Amino acid sequence: MRPEEAVQIMRERFPFPTYLDPVDEGYLSIAKTVVRYLQPGDKILDFGSGPCDKTAVIQLLGYHCSASDDLQDYWHQIDANREAILSFIEQVGIDFTLATDRTLPYAKESFDMVMMHHVLEHLHDSPRDLVNGLLELLKPEGYFFATVPNAVNIRKRVSVLRGRTNLPNFAAYYWYPDSWRGHVREYTRNDLMQIAEYLGLEIVALHSYHQMLSKVPRHIRPFYTASTNIFPGWRDSWLLLAKKGNDWVAKKALPEEQLRAMFDIGVSNEH
């Protein structure tokens, strides 16, 4: 099955069609990356999977997908939405775990790939401990696959020049009915390079891609895609694929001296 066919089948089965981006670019970028580096039958964990729309595309392509999410976003909890999501996940055949804490029921080094698609930007704390824990579930030579919104895409650059915000919609933030679940810290290319370095991973692929092309008005979309081919850093999202080495060891803290230097905390001198 080709990625395009898997996306179409997912669209036909997914219970919330208005949730899905009308343009397939984001789904295809993710699916084609998986197909390029893994073989059908390989095991993949999608952490922070949401309603498993992206996971379902990969599952339909012949991979054994597990997924985990707390399904605590506002829209997950209204009406019978959670039940519809869980029914869809079961229908597609994904091994789903409803996350209630950071404990996952998987053995160490049991996955060929761990994915986090548009998850990192929602974390209120450093991703350090969470991602290191997920990497322990990854086999040696396995892949860490993350996608994030681009903090400096062209829309945000123009918004700032116009005196507007590059942050999430203020009304949604102001009126959100519970603890904020939206974007906390978005990322740039350099941030992702540093994440790979700090985690001790080898970067295999790092490039921008179109996740939300449908947000661009149709009449200027050709100009937008042409300009972002020339300036790829203007696209709306980043894709990072990195490999875990055979001798990987988690680095979860800096020596005290480096930590103090990073925050410019000097040692007082007694006279």
Side-chain angles (χ1 to χ4, degrees), residues 124 167-184:
H124 286 254
L167 299 174
N169 179 276
F170 183 72
Y173 171 74
Y174 185 85
W175 293 110
Y176 199 82
D178 205 339
S179 298
W180 175 242
R181 302 269 297 183
H183 295 188
V184 176

Side-chain angles (χ1 to χ4, degrees), residues 125-198:
D125 299 315
S126 165
R128 181 183 65 251
D129 291 340
L130 173 61
V131 179
N132 272 304
L134 291 172
L135 289 175
E136 291 179 350
L137 304 178
L138 191 61
K139 297 176 183 178
E141 303 297 312
Y143 295 96
F144 173 67
F145 185 12
T147 57
V148 293
N150 182 2
V152 291
N153 68 36
I154 187 59
R155 194 275 301 168
K156 293 166 186 168
R157 296 183 194 212
V158 171
S159 292
V160 170
L161 288 174
R162 297 173 64 198
R164 300 184 178 183
T165 185
N166 60 332
L167 299 174
N169 179 276
F170 183 72
Y173 171 74
Y174 185 85
W175 293 110
Y176 199 82
D178 205 339
S179 298
W180 175 242
R181 302 269 297 183
H183 295 188
V184 176
R185 189 194 194 285
E186 296 186 348
Y187 288 78
T188 65
R189 176 185 175 88
N190 190 61
D191 294 332
L192 295 177
M193 293 176 66
Q194 289 185 78
I195 284 178
E197 177 187 351
Y198 298 155

Side-chain angles (χ1 to χ4, degrees), residues 35-188:
V35 168
R36 180 176 179 182
Y37 291 97
L38 293 184
Q39 297 298 318
D42 283 348
K43 297 181 65 178
I44 299 173
L45 171 63
D46 188 2
F47 183 85
S49 61
C52 286
D53 49 324
K54 297 178 181 69
T55 330
V57 173
I58 307 305
Q59 178 78 12
L60 290 165
L61 287 170
Y63 299 90
H64 293 307
C65 291
S66 299
S68 179
D69 196 279
D70 62 4
L71 296 182
Q72 289 293 315
D73 284 2
Y74 171 68
W75 77 272
H76 295 159
Q77 302 179 68
I78 60 177
D79 301 326
N81 286 359
R82 177 182 286 194
E83 290 73 16
I85 291 169
L86 293 174
S87 176
F88 166 73
I89 291 170
E90 182 178 6
Q91 178 189 16
V92 177
I94 298 166
D95 173 28
F96 183 77
T97 297
L98 186 63
T100 55
D101 53 32
R102 290 194 175 186
T103 302
L104 294 173
Y106 308 116
K108 291 185 176 182
E109 299 186 356
S110 57
F111 291 100
D112 299 286
M113 176 180 283
V114 171
M115 305 193 301
M116 298 179 77
H117 295 306
H118 284 249
V119 173
L120 291 170
E121 67 273 14
H122 294 271
L123 301 178
H124 286 254
D125 299 315
S126 165
R128 181 183 65 251
D129 291 340
L130 173 61
V131 179
N132 272 304
L134 291 172
L135 289 175
E136 291 179 350
L137 304 178
L138 191 61
K139 297 176 183 178
E141 303 297 312
Y143 295 96
F144 173 67
F145 185 12
T147 57
V148 293
N150 182 2
V152 291
N153 68 36
I154 187 59
R155 194 275 301 168
K156 293 166 186 168
R157 296 183 194 212
V158 171
S159 292
V160 170
L161 288 174
R162 297 173 64 198
R164 300 184 178 183
T165 185
N166 60 332
L167 299 174
N169 179 276
F170 183 72
Y173 171 74
Y174 185 85
W175 293 110
Y176 199 82
D178 205 339
S179 298
W180 175 242
R181 302 269 297 183
H183 295 188
V184 176
R185 189 194 194 285
E186 296 186 348
Y187 288 78
T188 65

